[in-house]
């Protein structure tokens, strides 16, 4: 029984071919394509409003040099939100529950922010490893601690997204199993459990969006300290 709970996180295969590539590619088909008309439909208008609000929230504290990342980070956030929400549908697979995929997003983008900081302002980038006013005996220790915390950032990004989505999926499956088992024996308790399951599903939709936003927001904060 415990093994079956974790089967949902296994990458599906068809004739020995992993379908995670299809699960990653398919969401792009769902996005409305831009039009050359002067007046857009409601869906395109809502999409444009959402993207504009997102850019204002993330890139307002960043200087002009960091605005070059707007397209990349906005596309990443919309992509993560789509993957997370589609993974809540029945008989679907959530690629963002795979730590390897999340690390593949986190490590290159974090490394790019570090390289930009070392190229544009190496003194300030290295100065982050040693806070101002540090006592002389503590300098070697603090440099080691700050260096470790710097390299832990991409791991924290990937683990945070993976852990939150995995925990939500497991909790939904546990409560759904409990409601199914209790239905023949205690229908009233089963109905209450199903109500809790519905509310938890709504919460997981919010978590799916929030976690994608936090992922991109932290990347923008790393970028802000290096541009």
């Amino acid at each position: 029984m415990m093994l079956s709970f974790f089967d949902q996180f296994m990458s599906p295969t068809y004739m020995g071919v992993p379908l995670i590539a299809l699960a990653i590619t398919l969401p792009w088909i769902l996005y409305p394509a831009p039009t050359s008309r002067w007046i857009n439909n409601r869906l395109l208008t809502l999409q444009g409003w959402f993207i504009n609000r997102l850019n204002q929230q993330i890139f307002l504290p960043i200087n002009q040099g960091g605005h070059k990342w707007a397209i990349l980070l906005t596309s990443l956030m919309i992509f993560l939100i789509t993957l997370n929400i589609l993974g809540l549908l029945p008989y679907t697979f959530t690629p963002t529950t795979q730590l390897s995929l999340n690390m593949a997003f986190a490590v290159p983008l974090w490394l790019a922010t570090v390289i930009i900081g070392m190229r544009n302002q190496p003194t300030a980038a290295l100065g982050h490893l040693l806070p101002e006013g540090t006592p002389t005996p503590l300098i070697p220790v603090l440099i080691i601690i700050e260096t470790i915390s710097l390299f832990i950032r991409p791991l924290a990004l990937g683990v945070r997204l993976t852990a939150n989505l995995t925990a939500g999926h497991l909790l939904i499956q546990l409560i759904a199993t409990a409601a199914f088992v209790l239905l023949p024996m205690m229908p009233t308790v089963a109905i209450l459990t199903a109500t809790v399951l519905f509310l938890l599903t709504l919460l997981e939709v919010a978590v799916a969006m929030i976690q994608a936003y936090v992922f991109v927001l932290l990347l923008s904060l790393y970028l802000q300290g290096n541009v």
Side-chain angles (χ1 to χ4, degrees):
M1 178 63 69
M2 291 302 297
L3 181 62
S4 64
F5 285 152
F6 291 92
D7 284 347
Q8 60 178 316
F9 304 117
M10 296 175 59
S11 177
T13 58
Y14 180 72
M15 299 180 63
V17 179
L19 297 181
I20 187 172
L22 180 62
I24 294 175
T25 308
L26 187 60
W28 294 105
I29 305 175
L30 304 177
Y31 304 141
T35 177
S36 58
R37 298 178 180 178
W38 286 8
I39 301 178
N40 294 325
N41 56 30
R42 292 183 178 89
L43 186 58
L44 282 174
T45 303
L46 180 62
Q47 177 182 273
W49 175 85
F50 175 76
I51 292 176
N52 289 334
R53 293 292 300 173
L54 171 65
N55 289 330
Q56 290 177 7
Q57 290 289 331
I58 293 181
F59 293 97
L60 186 61
I62 302 178
N63 59 24
Q64 195 67 29
H67 290 182
K68 301 175 183 178
W69 287 59
I71 296 179
L72 175 61
L73 294 184
T74 303
S75 302
L76 177 62
M77 179 177 173
I78 295 175
F79 182 59
L80 290 177
I81 289 177
T82 306
L83 288 180
N84 295 346
I85 294 180
L86 288 179
L88 294 173
L89 298 176
Y91 302 104
T92 56
F93 170 69
T94 312
T96 45
T97 56
Q98 306 294 312
L99 182 60
S100 57
L101 177 67
N102 295 333
M103 293 301 294
F105 285 136
V107 173
L109 294 174
W110 164 82
L111 187 60
T113 61
V114 174
I115 292 176
I116 287 176
M118 295 297 294
R119 186 188 66 178
N120 294 340
Q121 42 184 8
T123 304
L126 293 176
H128 292 159
L129 301 178
L130 184 64
E132 187 177 357
T134 304
T136 304
L138 296 179
I139 288 179
V141 178
L142 282 180
I143 290 178
I144 295 175
I145 293 175
E146 291 295 330
T147 304
I148 294 175
S149 67
L150 176 64
F151 283 96
I152 284 179
R153 285 179 176 181
L155 181 62
L157 280 176
V159 171
R160 180 185 293 106
L161 183 58
T162 303
N164 281 281
L165 295 179
T166 302
H169 283 63
L170 283 176
L171 193 56
I172 286 177
Q173 186 168 1
L174 285 170
I175 296 179
T177 304
F180 181 76
V181 171
L182 291 173
L183 185 59
M185 299 179 294
M186 294 179 286
T188 305
V189 178
I191 292 175
L192 293 177
T193 307
T195 304
V196 173
L197 176 62
F198 175 74
L199 297 177
L200 179 62
T201 304
L202 295 180
L203 177 63
E204 283 302 313
V205 173
V207 169
M209 301 178 66
I210 291 172
Q211 288 302 318
Y213 175 75
V214 169
F215 189 92
V216 175
L217 179 63
L218 290 176
L219 281 174
S220 68
L221 293 178
Y222 300 157
L223 178 65
Q224 181 182 355
N226 289 284
V227 294

